[in-house]
Amino acid sequence: MRLIFAGSSQFAVPALRGLLEVSPPVLVLSRPERPAGRNLKPRLCPLAEFAQSKGLPLSQPEDVNSPDSVRSIRSLEADLLITASYGALLRKPLRESTRLGAINLHPSLLPLHRGATPVQSALLKGDSLTGTTIFALNSRLDAGPILAQKELPILPEDDHASLEGRLAELSARLLLDLLPVLERDGVVGREQDHSRASYCAKLDKDDLVLDWNMEANTLHNRIRAFSPLPGAYTLLRGERLKILAARPLPEPPSGTPGSLGQVVKNTGFTVNCRDAQLLILKVQPAGKRAMDAWAYQLGARLNPGERFAGEPPKPDLENT
């Protein structure tokens, strides 16, 4: 089959790597370079970097739906357009620019967790099961007919990076199994049960702040959902401290929410939450590398009653 593959994030890389073994795409579509890092230098997204390293034909249009872009893609006379975390809406002319249309790899069990943040959303909600779905793209968000779907348990130790990585590998295998079926039978799927649809909440910077008045399990899920990047955080001694790994304990809080609970030798330390203590296992101080919480507390010399907090209150501009 003549394939076109579109993607941007690391999630899309295993699928493209798998295609190289069976049917290398005639074109890879990815997002334009964007400023990144401390120096804000233009940088390729992970999929574009991988495609470039393999010498694949790569296009990074600002507007993939522009008439010129659609015309160029249609001229390739491809059979199928495959997308995975591409990050842009594909309008009808583009979806119909290949013989079999366009399909998408989505890391959730659709119709659950439609939208841009399905992995974070599953972790935030404390789901024990997720999976991946390949569906035919249509005009509605993640609502097209399902072509293939496979479940994946969420492990207690999973965070965003580990869960997305396992889902990416599962999606790649599912795609390779599906391609011969599509070539033989065409794109024929089953309609989603739209009455069961749920949507990913829009996430912003406020979601990264740890509010110790919440339950320990809720905070644990928030930490998992944003680890290692961008990282949920608290304030300690006026500085941001990212919490990258933690585990709820059965012990009730020994003090007010946000206070140091106890130091656990060779492991880390606990912070009191509304209902229990949360054992902190891995942290990243501002401007430093990630480290074990035990090593961190040895250097920080945490004191009994030490306070962890959210963001400081914003100034009242009307009274200043």
Side-chain angles (χ1 to χ4, degrees), residues 119 122-124 127-130 152-167 220-228 244-246:
V119 181
L123 290 168
L124 283 170
D127 293 350
S128 60
L129 183 70
T130 186
L152 183 74
I154 299 178
L155 305 177
E157 63 271 21
D158 267 328
D159 60 15
H160 177 256
S162 66
L163 182 56
E164 185 178 67
R166 294 197 298 124
L167 285 167
H220 175 230
N221 289 335
R222 181 165 295 199
I223 290 165
R224 300 166 73 201
F226 299 118
S227 180
L244 301 182

Side-chain angles (χ1 to χ4, degrees), residues 252-264:
S254 61
T256 57
S259 61
L260 178 69
Q262 57 183 307
V263 173
V264 182

Side-chain angles (χ1 to χ4, degrees), residues 243 245-247 267-269 279-283 291-294:
I243 310 296
R247 184 173 72 244
T267 303
F269 56 90
L279 177 60
I280 309 303
L281 300 171
K282 189 175 183 180
V283 301
M291 63 179 71
D292 291 338
W294 172 249

Side-chain angles (χ1 to χ4, degrees), residues 10-308:
Q10 186 64 36
F11 171 77
V13 172
L16 179 55
R17 183 187 295 117
L19 290 178
L20 296 181
E21 302 297 324
V22 296
S23 185
V26 297
L27 178 68
V28 174
L29 293 168
S30 195
R31 306 296 290 157
E33 294 182 21
R34 294 285 187 251
R38 291 185 178 181
N39 297 323
L40 295 179
K41 292 183 178 180
R43 182 180 299 175
L44 290 170
C45 63
L47 185 85
E49 188 174 13
F50 177 79
Q52 194 174 76
S53 72
K54 298 299 181 180
L56 296 171
L58 175 66
S59 177
Q60 299 168 269
E62 285 288 346
D63 180 8
V64 73
N65 293 290
S66 71
D68 285 345
S69 176
V70 173
R71 190 179 305 113
S72 175
I73 291 170
R74 185 177 288 118
S75 70
L76 295 173
E77 298 182 345
D79 296 300
L80 183 67
L81 171 58
I82 304 167
T83 70
S85 70
Y86 179 55
L89 176 71
L90 273 59
R91 296 193 174 92
K92 187 175 181 179
L94 183 56
R95 297 196 306 269
E96 296 180 347
S97 63
T98 61
R99 181 174 64 87
L100 296 174
I103 64 173
N104 179 252
L105 281 58
H106 185 81
S108 84
L109 295 174
L110 291 175
L112 303 179
H113 298 312
R114 292 176 177 174
T117 57
V119 181
Q120 293 99 323
S121 295
L123 290 168
L124 283 170
K125 289 182 177 295
D127 293 350
S128 60
L129 183 70
T130 186
T132 193
T133 304
I134 302 179
F135 67 98
L137 283 171
N138 61 17
S139 60
R140 297 175 59 191
L141 176 66
D142 297 335
I146 292 174
L147 304 169
Q149 191 171 69
K150 195 168 184 63
E151 295 179 347
L152 183 74
I154 299 178
L155 305 177
E157 63 271 21
D158 267 328
D159 60 15
H160 177 256
S162 66
L163 182 56
E164 185 178 67
R166 294 197 298 124
L167 285 167
E169 295 294 341
L170 179 63
S171 300
R173 295 193 298 271
L174 196 63
L175 174 64
L176 296 185
D177 290 341
L178 178 64
L179 284 178
V181 178
L182 298 182
E183 187 170 23
R184 183 187 69 237
D185 301 334
V187 178
V188 180
R190 59 178 173 86
E191 287 297 315
Q192 296 187 35
D193 182 355
H194 303 299
S195 67
R196 296 180 54 246
S198 64
Y199 295 86
C200 302
K202 184 178 180 181
L203 303 175
D204 57 34
K205 292 181 179 179
D206 290 340
D207 293 306
L208 303 178
V209 182
L210 296 173
D211 180 355
W212 300 105
N213 291 295
M214 293 179 174
E215 295 182 351
N217 199 56
T218 299
L219 289 166
H220 175 230
N221 289 335
R222 181 165 295 199
I223 290 165
R224 300 166 73 201
F226 299 118
S227 180
L229 294 172
Y233 68 89
T234 185
L235 289 182
L236 178 65
R237 301 170 185 173
E239 295 284 339
R240 288 190 182 189
L241 178 67
K242 291 184 179 181
I243 310 296
L244 301 182
R247 184 173 72 244
L249 296 181
E251 285 96 321
S254 61
T256 57
S259 61
L260 178 69
Q262 57 183 307
V263 173
V264 182
K265 189 174 182 180
N266 296 325
T267 303
F269 56 90
T270 71
V271 180
N272 290 308
C273 307
R274 187 173 78 188
D275 64 330
Q277 297 183 44
L278 187 66
L279 177 60
I280 309 303
L281 300 171
K282 189 175 183 180
V283 301
Q284 184 176 6
K288 297 182 180 179
R289 293 182 178 181
M291 63 179 71
D292 291 338
W294 172 249
Y296 169 77
Q297 76 82 27
L298 286 175
R301 297 187 178 183
L302 299 178
N303 300 312
E306 192 93 53
R307 297 288 305 178
F308 299 81

